[in-house]
Each structure stands twice: as C-alpha cells, then as structure tokens.
Amino acid sequence: MKKLSAKIIIIIIIVFGVSTIIPRIILTSMGDFPEQEFFSSPLFLVGMFVTAFLTLSLFGLAIKYVIIDRIRSLSLATKQIALGNFELNIKSKGNDELTSLTQDFNKMAQELRANEYLNKEFVRNFSHEFKTPISAIKGYAELISSGDLTDKEIVEYSKIIASESTRLTHLSKSLLQLSILDSTSIVKANEKFNMSEQIRSVIQMLQLMWEEKGLELNLDIQEIYTTTNKELTYQIWKNIIENAINYSQKNQKLDITVKQEEKQIIFEITNYGLGISLEDQKHIYELFYVVEKSRHQTSSGIGLAITKKIIDKLNGDIHIDSQENEYTTFKVSLPI
C-alpha cells in the first residue's frame, strides 16, 4: 500500500473513532432518559449535527494538513518556475509520495538554476569568442581604409583580416555542428571503411602543423575496418590530434596507437608538454573551456566539447591521463 493512502486510511479510522465516542458521551450524560423520547427529541438532532460537523471538520483539517497544503505549495512554486524564478526550495516533511514529489521538484529547480547559469555563461563566452575576430577585422580594415599605410603594412594587415575571417568561419561551423549534435538523438552509423587509413589521412592533413613544431611521430596503427559514421569519426581524430599538436612542446615526440581489442577500436595519443592539472581535467570537455589560455589564445575551447558529444553519440568512451610537466594521453574506444 502506498504511504499516502495509508495516511488517509489512518485519518479516516481516527475521525471515525472520535465521531463514535461523542455520541456515547452524550448518551452516557443523559442517564435514564427514555430511549424513545431521546431519538425523537431535538437534542438528538443537535447531537447528530454536532457529530457530523466535528467529523467532517476533523477529516477536512487532517486532509488539508497532509495533502492540500503541500499540493498548494507545489502549485505556487510551479507558477514561480514558469515566471523564471528558480531560487526555490520547498521544505519537505514526512516520508510519502508527496515528499518524494517535493524532493524531485527541488532537484528540478536546482537543475534549472544550473542550466540558467550555463546558458548565461554560454552567451558570454559566445559573445567573447565572436567579438575578438570581428573587432580585429574591423580595426585592421579601418587602418587599411585610412590610406596612410605602406604596401608592406597593407599586406600584413590583410593577412590578419583573412586569418581572423577563417577563425570566425571555423567558430560558426563548430557551433553549427554542436547544435546539430544536440538536436540529433540517433546518428547514422552504416558506412564501412578503413579507419586506420582515415587516421593516417588526418595525420597527413595536419603535417604542416607537426612539422612546424619539429615533432617526431611514433605510429603504431593496426589495419582496422569498421562500420560507423565516417564523417563524425574523422572529426574525432582531427580534433584530438590537432589538440595534441597544439599542446606539445617543440622538438618532442607524439605517440599514436590504434588497435583492436575484442569488439572495440582503441585509439591512444600521447603528447609531451606541460600536461593538464587535475582541476583542468574536470572541465576539458566543457564548451569554451581552454587549458592554459595565456599560451593558446587562438583556441576556442569547442573542439573537445564536440569530440565528447560525437563519441557519446557513437556509444564510445574517452578518457584522459595526464601528469603536469610530463605528458597527456587521450584514449578513445569505439565499438567496431
């Protein structure tokens, strides 16, 4: 039996008990009053009215305290939530279904408060990320249009405008992809291809980046064919490898391993740089979060957030192992 139902039954029993005691007290106080005359007397009608009134009043008060007041509190709180007031915490008492409902409501309000903060934080970060390249483009365009520059300065400033325009394009595409991932519950995973070849093509595409840093690549890549979403897995490898290159120290190693374990594809990449602190590791998959902002001012903090969402959509896992001033290893496992 439900706890709330049990309370109502107990209330009914108590009220019924009280309502039967009152007439007995009245009858006892009447003494030797003739039974026939008693039931036909006005006193009997008054007693019945008083008994019924007290019974209904007691039952109503008990139900009001146990159920109605608590439902009214939830109703008022719901209206406040609808108005955007998430700073609510209803006191829960007892141990029944309404208590559980109240506790769930408080959890909902807490989550809405957190989401409201995240939304505001997203808008702030979004505005900042777009404001920086737009301001640079506007500033250098105004300098060029002033006509007081040398040919060398015009070329230099034009390159900066082109670079910031490219950055703005990448930001827009990344946020669009993030939006698509959030709105898609199921992704297509029916393309058969050589994933090892795909990873090698990403490494080759990023060749200019790792050569510029003088990185020595140690590759251990097994040949693995799989059936999944080719476009999304390409995005995973591109984001993770590019991230590893960015955070590598110059003239260091970059270790990449790809292998099959049972029905899983295991991808590991290790770069040797400053590493990531335990505190930063808790936030690296958050949108716009950038480790070592002073060293990587061009990073938008979107890549790993997208990577994590893609891996989740493909029913995979991603783990990080890092020691500060030593190394950082990302391990991705995907179902084959």
Side-chain angles (χ1 to χ4, degrees):
M1 184 182 294
K2 300 292 185 180
K3 295 176 181 178
L4 196 59
S5 303
K7 284 185 178 181
I8 294 173
I9 290 172
I10 291 170
I11 290 170
I12 292 172
I13 292 171
I14 292 173
V15 170
F16 179 77
V18 171
S19 64
T20 55
I21 290 172
I22 294 172
R24 287 182 178 275
I25 294 173
I26 294 174
L27 284 172
T28 304
S29 65
M30 297 301 298
D32 298 329
F33 196 89
E35 183 178 333
Q36 187 175 1
E37 293 182 16
F38 171 74
F39 285 110
S40 62
S41 68
L43 185 62
F44 173 76
L45 295 175
V46 172
M48 289 294 291
F49 176 78
V50 171
T51 301
F53 176 77
L54 289 174
T55 300
L56 292 173
S57 297
L58 285 172
F59 183 77
L61 286 171
I63 293 298
K64 179 178 181 296
Y65 175 77
V66 173
I67 300 177
I68 295 175
D69 284 350
R70 296 159 72 187
I71 291 177
R72 184 180 290 116
S73 296
L74 281 168
S75 176
L76 292 173
T78 302
K79 291 176 182 177
Q80 288 296 312
I81 290 287
L83 293 172
N85 179 18
F86 306 131
E87 301 295 328
L88 294 171
N89 187 56
I90 305 173
K91 292 182 179 179
S92 58
K93 50 189 176 182
N95 186 24
D96 54 31
E97 290 80 9
L98 280 177
T99 304
S100 299
L101 180 61
T102 301
Q103 291 170 349
D104 290 341
F105 182 91
N106 288 335
K107 288 178 183 177
M108 180 192 72
Q110 184 179 356
E111 289 297 322
L112 287 172
R113 283 198 298 271
N115 285 336
E116 183 187 35
Y117 171 78
L118 288 175
N119 287 336
K120 289 179 179 177
E121 188 72 10
F122 173 83
V123 171
R124 283 195 294 268
N125 289 323
F126 178 88
S127 301
H128 177 266
E129 291 296 333
F130 272 76
K131 180 181 178 182
T132 303
I134 289 172
S135 297
I137 292 169
K138 180 176 181 293
Y140 285 109
E142 288 175 348
L143 284 173
I144 292 173
S145 65
S146 67
D148 297 329
L149 302 176
T150 63
D151 291 343
K152 182 179 179 181
E153 288 175 328
I154 291 173
V155 171
E156 181 183 349
Y157 295 164
S158 297
K159 287 181 179 178
I160 294 174
I161 290 173
S163 174
E164 291 300 314
S165 299
T166 302
R167 182 183 171 196
L168 199 58
T169 302
H170 288 162
L171 276 171
S172 302
K173 287 181 178 178
S174 296
L175 289 172
L176 177 60
Q177 185 179 25
L178 200 61
S179 175
I180 292 171
L181 287 169
D182 282 333
S183 62
T184 305
S185 57
I186 300 175
V187 298
K188 291 183 179 180
N190 55 4
E191 297 173 271
K192 188 174 182 179
F193 61 97
N194 186 332
M195 184 170 284
S196 305
E197 185 62 34
Q198 184 185 60
I199 292 170
R200 282 193 287 265
S201 69
V202 172
I203 294 170
Q204 186 175 7
M205 187 266 294
L206 297 172
Q207 184 173 351
L208 290 177
M209 286 184 64
W210 53 264
E211 281 187 346
E212 186 179 349
K213 276 204 166 183
L215 298 179
E216 176 190 341
L217 268 62
N218 296 323
L219 306 180
D220 183 8
I221 301 176
Q222 294 180 6
E223 292 299 315
I224 300 173
Y225 287 84
T226 185
T227 302
T228 184
N229 189 302
K230 190 174 182 179
E231 182 181 348
L232 292 182
T233 54
Y234 185 91
Q235 191 70 41
I236 293 173
W237 315 134
K238 178 182 178 297
N239 289 346
I240 293 181
I241 296 172
E242 189 173 12
N243 184 76
I245 295 171
N246 283 333
Y247 285 90
S248 292
Q249 296 276 47
K250 287 187 175 181
N251 304 315
Q252 281 285 355
K253 295 186 300 179
L254 189 64
D255 300 332
I256 299 176
T257 302
V258 182
K259 58 185 176 180
Q260 180 181 339
E261 291 184 359
E262 297 181 350
K263 295 184 178 181
Q264 296 285 317
I265 297 169
I266 307 299
F267 170 92
E268 287 190 28
I269 183 166
T270 301
N271 73 80
Y272 299 88
L274 295 179
I276 303 174
S277 68
L278 288 174
E279 183 60 31
D280 283 328
Q281 289 180 36
K282 299 175 185 177
H283 305 285
I284 56 172
Y285 303 119
E286 295 176 6
L287 191 60
F288 296 121
Y289 191 85
V290 179
V291 178
E292 294 287 334
K293 294 182 179 64
S294 60
R295 294 176 60 240
H296 297 278
Q297 295 178 359
T298 59
S299 176
S300 62
I302 299 176
L304 284 179
I306 291 176
T307 301
K308 180 69 167 62
K309 283 187 180 293
I310 293 174
I311 292 171
D312 289 343
K313 294 286 184 183
L314 296 176
N315 298 316
D317 291 299
I318 181 169
H319 299 283
I320 182 173
D321 175 29
S322 184
Q323 292 291 330
E324 288 190 80
N325 301 314
E326 291 187 24
Y327 68 90
T328 297
T329 298
F330 280 97
K331 181 179 179 180
V332 177
S333 60
L334 292 173
I336 200 165

